[in-house]
Amino acid sequence: MKVKTSHIALTEKTTTFLTSTKKMLVNNQWIESEAKKTFDTLNPANGNVLTKIPIADENDVDNAVVIARNAFDLIWKDGIKPAERSDLLWKLATLIERDIKIFMELETLDNGKPLEKAKYDVLGAINHLKYYAGWATKIEGTTIPTHSNKLVYTKKEPLGVVGLIVPWNFPLMIAIWKLAPALACGNCCILKPAEQTPLTALYLGKLILEAGFPPGVVNIITGPGIPTGQAMSQHMDIDKISFTGSTLVGKKIMEASAKSNLKKVSLELGGKSPNVIFEDADLDMVLDSLQWSSFYNTGQECTLGSRIYVQESIFEKVLKSFKEKAGKMTISNGFNNPDLGPMISEKQLNTVLDYIELGETEGAKLVYGGNRLDGDLAKGYFLEPTIFITKNEDLTIAREEIFGPVVVVSKFKDFDEVIKKANTSKYGLAAAVWTKDLSKAHRFANAIDAGTVWINGYDLFDAAVPFGGFKQSGNGKEMGKSAIDLYTKEKAVWTVL
């Protein structure tokens, strides 16, 4: 593991934004929370306070919902044409393009990810906005033949007011994954970024105003899961919650929604994704990707291949190369453009360290890493890439989502064995298979219980391709045409001629 160092210089706009008083965006106005309570958002590279952020309580959430409902009923639903919604989304995309450097810097400061990886996220957000700008004018119904003297047609209508709760690992990109289709479908939105990473969402609010969105259409409130997220989930006049985060919290949101108004809920939750390498795979391709499919974003990504299965004839060769390449990855403050930045918080770091200790206690063999970094990086939340090997699928580290740079590598003999092992997980978010035999690859894709399957690649995404998991990895599909269904309701109309 190599440590990179260099001087950090922020752009003037980023510095100005950081030193300004942070407020929430409601009804196109910047407001404080009613109770005037705040929390600190920290730089995970050194633990320093970046700025203070308002805490929205139940009253603040209710105020935002009332504003959003009025905007939906009076302006957004019928007063703005689909083509105008399209123009607004495209305009917002161009403004993000203009300020891409600011978004990159804020994301790296608040989340810790390397600057160039933050750029990838911002570009992804831009592409999603442009993609759904095209959808705004193409949300159509159908006619259904039933009888010669009856006309039956369907129409897709917006849900109304939707609550969008975003995680801390991809703060801007996942915010746009939700905002873009929700707005294209004609909904009014209440966006809550994760309390660990609120800065890019608040800066996005500045551009929403500049783009010309009507008052109350996009409202951005800040705060932790309790009270802010809980108040959104329980609110009787929010029509839908879209949440990305842990399975545990997703279950709580679904329960709260069921107990309130049975609001529609879509959940993109945890993963423990199998990355399966057959002996006939192109090993050059595999070994070039393995450290990234395992440790990208410091392991803080739900789709990463945290369970690696290698056919026994090539196991030692793959493991040796994997350890060597993990050892060559650079780690540092994200502004130095390392391979890996810090973990999001000391709490998350300690959680992962506990999993590493538990893995050793339960009998897994630690073959690389496992240590918090000291020296120049001691004040930040930095952890080495960590590799375990085991034969026991029942170990905690083989079953539970760790959400850190920790992977478990296991051997397998044949196709049937690895399918059985891969499908034992309670999660079903993603999976990958590496083989030159495309027949085998497609048999694998058919047999694996996962919402996304990559063949001879990993972590491939596009705005047009649906994404979402099976089992306890959630419900509903974000991205692509499928996201339109998440943010609309279908009405059937019968006419007797």
Side-chain angles (χ1 to χ4, degrees):
M1 178 58 60
K2 299 179 180 179
V3 175
K4 298 179 70 175
T5 58
S6 69
H7 177 67
I8 299 170
L10 299 175
T11 60
E12 183 179 349
K13 280 189 174 182
T14 301
T15 302
T16 300
F17 177 74
L18 284 173
T19 55
S20 66
T21 301
K22 302 300 176 295
K23 297 183 179 180
M24 303 183 295
L25 182 65
V26 178
N27 204 28
N28 281 13
Q29 297 178 3
W30 294 104
I31 64 171
E32 296 179 329
S33 65
E34 188 172 299
K36 294 184 170 53
K37 292 182 179 180
T38 63
F39 66 95
D40 295 332
T41 185
L42 306 180
N43 182 343
N46 54 29
N48 292 343
V49 175
L50 292 168
T51 188
K52 293 187 178 295
I53 305 294
I55 298 178
D57 61 16
E58 185 176 341
N59 292 330
D60 296 303
V61 171
D62 189 59
N63 177 51
V65 173
V66 170
I67 294 295
R69 178 64 61 188
N70 287 338
F72 178 74
D73 289 339
L74 302 177
I75 303 172
W76 196 238
K77 180 182 179 182
D78 298 316
I80 302 294
K81 297 177 181 178
E84 294 174 307
R85 295 201 300 267
S86 178
D87 289 344
L88 287 168
L89 290 171
W90 195 275
K91 176 65 173 177
L92 183 58
T94 62
L95 292 174
I96 295 175
E97 283 181 308
R98 182 197 69 190
D99 288 354
I100 187 170
K101 183 71 172 177
I102 301 166
F103 280 103
M104 289 167 57
E105 291 178 343
L106 290 175
E107 207 80 310
T108 295
L109 281 169
D110 218 12
N111 171 275
K113 64 179 59 188
L115 199 61
E116 285 302 310
K117 305 300 189 293
K119 182 178 182 179
Y120 172 84
D121 293 359
V122 181
L123 291 173
I126 293 166
N127 289 338
H128 273 76
L129 281 166
K130 290 182 176 180
Y131 175 80
Y132 285 104
W135 265 109
T137 55
K138 300 171 185 67
I139 301 172
E140 301 171 340
T142 60
T143 57
I144 302 171
T146 60
H147 195 278
S148 59
N149 70 339
K150 294 180 179 66
L151 170 65
V152 180
Y153 64 92
T154 66
K155 54 189 304 233
K156 287 183 175 292
E157 298 180 345
L159 297 172
V161 176
V162 299
L164 312 174
I165 303 178
V166 177
W168 47 258
N169 56 339
F170 294 91
L172 177 67
M173 187 162 69
I174 295 182
I176 297 299
W177 280 15
K178 299 179 187 300
L179 270 174
L183 292 170
C185 292
N187 298 285
C188 288
C189 300
I190 299 171
L191 172 67
K192 190 197 89 66
E195 65 268 28
Q196 297 90 343
T197 52
L199 293 182
T200 48
L202 292 177
Y203 191 84
L204 180 68
K206 292 167 61 70
L207 302 193
I208 285 168
L209 295 178
E210 187 177 349
F213 280 83
V217 171
V218 180
N219 306 278
I220 303 171
I221 61 175
T222 50
I226 298 174
T228 317
Q230 183 180 69
M232 291 173 66
S233 301
Q234 294 175 344
H235 203 285
M236 292 292 293
D237 205 28
I238 290 181
D239 300 296
K240 179 209 169 64
I241 293 288
S242 175
F243 170 77
T244 299
S246 73
T247 297
L248 177 62
V249 175
K251 289 179 178 180
K252 291 180 179 179
I253 287 173
M254 183 167 279
E255 181 180 6
S257 299
K259 288 182 177 179
S260 55
N261 61 340
L262 273 180
K263 60 175 61 67
K264 194 172 183 178
V265 177
S266 58
L267 303 170
E268 197 273 281
L269 306 175
K272 195 72 175 175
S273 300
N275 192 4
V276 177
I277 305 166
F278 283 96
E279 61 188 0
D280 64 346
D282 184 329
L283 286 187
D284 289 336
M285 287 179 63
V286 172
L287 298 177
D288 281 345
S289 77
L290 198 55
Q291 71 269 31
W292 298 110
S293 61
S294 303
F295 302 127
Y296 187 85
N297 207 36
T298 316
Q300 299 169 127
E301 182 183 339
C302 51
T303 58
L304 290 180
S306 52
R307 291 185 293 149
I308 302 172
Y309 296 101
V310 185
Q311 200 155 18
E312 55 188 8
S313 63
I314 58 170
F315 182 85
E316 295 301 332
K317 182 177 182 178
V318 170
L319 182 63
K320 179 182 177 182
S321 175
F322 186 29
K323 290 192 294 182
E324 288 174 353
K325 294 201 173 189
K328 293 177 181 178
M329 299 184 87
T330 56
I331 186 167
S332 182
N333 186 308
F335 283 92
N336 299 324
N337 269 322
D339 295 322
L340 305 176
M343 302 204 67
I344 188 64
S345 66
E346 189 157 27
K347 178 182 178 182
Q348 184 64 19
L349 172 62
N350 289 332
T351 295
V352 176
L353 287 171
D354 288 344
Y355 272 113
I356 293 171
E357 182 180 355
L358 183 59
E360 292 187 281
T361 300
E362 291 186 346
K365 183 178 179 181
L366 179 64
V367 296
Y368 185 83
N371 301 304
R372 180 175 184 172
L373 297 190
D374 52 18
D376 292 338
L377 301 181
K379 292 182 179 180
Y381 316 129
F382 294 92
L383 180 65
E384 292 178 298
T386 302
I387 303 171
F388 282 99
I389 59 175
T390 185
K391 298 178 181 178
N392 187 353
E393 294 292 310
D394 293 327
L395 295 185
T396 303
I397 61 169
R399 292 184 292 105
E400 295 187 8
E401 183 180 43
I402 297 174
F403 224 64
V406 180
V407 297
V408 179
V409 188
S410 305
K411 296 179 183 179
F412 71 92
K413 291 182 180 180
D414 55 32
F415 184 92
D416 290 339
E417 180 189 4
V418 77
I419 287 294
K420 183 177 179 180
K421 287 182 175 182
N423 280 339
T424 57
S425 176
K426 66 182 178 182
Y427 298 108
L429 186 58
V433 59
W434 299 83
T435 175
K436 294 178 183 177
D437 183 344
L438 288 182
S439 176
K440 183 194 297 180
H442 289 292
R443 284 194 293 121
F444 178 92
N446 186 61
I448 200 74
D449 204 6
T452 295
V453 181
W454 295 294
I455 297 174
N456 296 329
Y458 210 96
D459 247 8
L460 306 173
F461 293 93
D462 189 281
V465 180
F467 173 72
F470 302 159
K471 298 190 281 189
Q472 293 192 41
S473 287
N475 58 59
K477 293 285 186 178
E478 296 192 291
M479 302 200 289
K481 180 181 178 181
S482 299
I484 301 302
D485 293 332
L486 293 184
Y487 296 100
T488 56
K489 55 191 178 186
E490 188 173 42
K491 179 182 290 183
V493 181
W494 290 72
T495 306
V496 178
L497 302 176

